[in-house]
Amino acid sequence: MSATVINLRQARKQKARDSKAQSAAENRRKFGRSKAEKSQEHAEATLETKRFEGHKLTSVSSSSPTDED
């Protein structure tokens, strides 16, 4: 019935270090890009949004007035 003894202070500090390292990695990925890469991603996102909006169906209530009898 021997268990591994864990120093909670050290475990807490290690968890904080790991969290900061993960946050730093995310920030490097998000902000560590050249201007060309940023503009390319923005252009792709804009194009994707336009394609998505273009495939939407018009609602029944906004249909043409020729449907009225």
Side-chain angles (χ1 to χ4, degrees):
M1 212 164 104
S2 67
T4 305
V5 177
I6 298 174
N7 187 331
L8 296 177
R9 178 182 50 83
Q10 289 177 346
R12 186 182 68 243
K13 286 184 177 185
Q14 185 61 42
K15 183 178 178 182
R17 284 187 210 109
D18 293 342
S19 175
K20 283 185 178 183
Q22 182 180 2
S23 175
E26 289 174 4
N27 285 338
R28 281 192 299 273
R29 183 191 54 81
K30 191 173 183 182
F31 299 111
R33 299 173 293 157
S34 69
K35 187 173 184 178
E37 290 171 332
K38 290 177 188 177
S39 64
Q40 177 67 27
E41 183 176 322
H42 183 267
E44 289 173 357
T46 303
L47 181 62
E48 182 179 331
T49 302
K50 286 182 181 179
R51 285 182 181 162
F52 179 74
E53 293 293 328
H55 283 80
K56 284 188 175 180
L57 298 175
T58 57
S59 63
V60 176
S61 62
S62 65
S63 63
S64 64
T66 58
D67 291 340
E68 296 175 4
D69 286 330

